[in-house]
Amino acid sequence: MSEFDPQKDEDRAYLAAALTAYALGLKTEGILSHQRRSPAESRGRHIAMYLLRTALGMSLSRVARAFNRDRTTVAYACNLIEDARDDSDFDLWVEQLSVGLSSVVVLDGASVEA
């Protein structure tokens, strides 16, 4: 296994998926899977994509490549999560994940894009 590199988009995607999986009580592999999975795993993948887009400032195309998905799929996922943030409890939860992800990436020496 290669060493973790927070500069690599794939490693950032893994980190976002692992954080989201932990918070939801899921397996990281389920969130990263290229197969259709349970609704909970799909929701987790949407959240992880959203975190990369918002917390780390990655473009839709970069997030799509990191998750081996189409850019329009990432845009759809981000729109779903943004709409769900109308719920104040969910909004707070996502914000805490966002802070956690950006903190870990910054602590590891990687820059977060503005």
Side-chain angles (χ1 to χ4, degrees):
M1 182 174 178
S2 62
E3 189 172 315
F4 177 80
D5 180 1
Q7 297 295 335
K8 292 173 73 176
D9 291 347
E10 295 79 14
D11 288 349
R12 287 180 172 199
Y14 184 86
L15 185 59
L19 180 64
T20 303
Y22 181 79
L24 292 173
L26 301 170
K27 293 188 182 275
T28 304
E29 295 76 22
I31 290 177
L32 293 172
S33 175
H34 300 297
Q35 300 173 349
R36 288 201 178 265
R37 303 294 287 219
S38 73
E41 290 167 325
S42 293
R43 179 72 157 194
R45 184 170 40 259
H46 294 162
I47 293 167
M49 289 176 177
Y50 178 83
L51 290 173
L52 290 180
R53 177 81 174 118
T54 59
L56 302 186
M58 290 173 57
S59 69
L60 293 173
S61 296
R62 286 179 61 198
V63 175
R65 279 192 302 274
F67 275 92
N68 197 24
R69 296 288 198 278
D70 187 80
R71 182 188 55 78
T72 59
T73 301
V74 176
Y76 175 75
C78 289
N79 287 334
L80 282 178
I81 300 306
E82 191 62 44
D83 287 346
R85 289 190 77 174
D86 289 342
D87 177 291
S88 60
D89 290 336
F90 183 74
D91 182 57
L92 179 61
W93 183 78
V94 170
E95 184 60 30
Q96 290 171 339
L97 287 178
S98 179
V99 169
L101 178 62
S102 59
S103 297
V104 170
V105 171
V106 170
L107 285 175
D108 206 22
S111 64
V112 175
E113 299 158 13

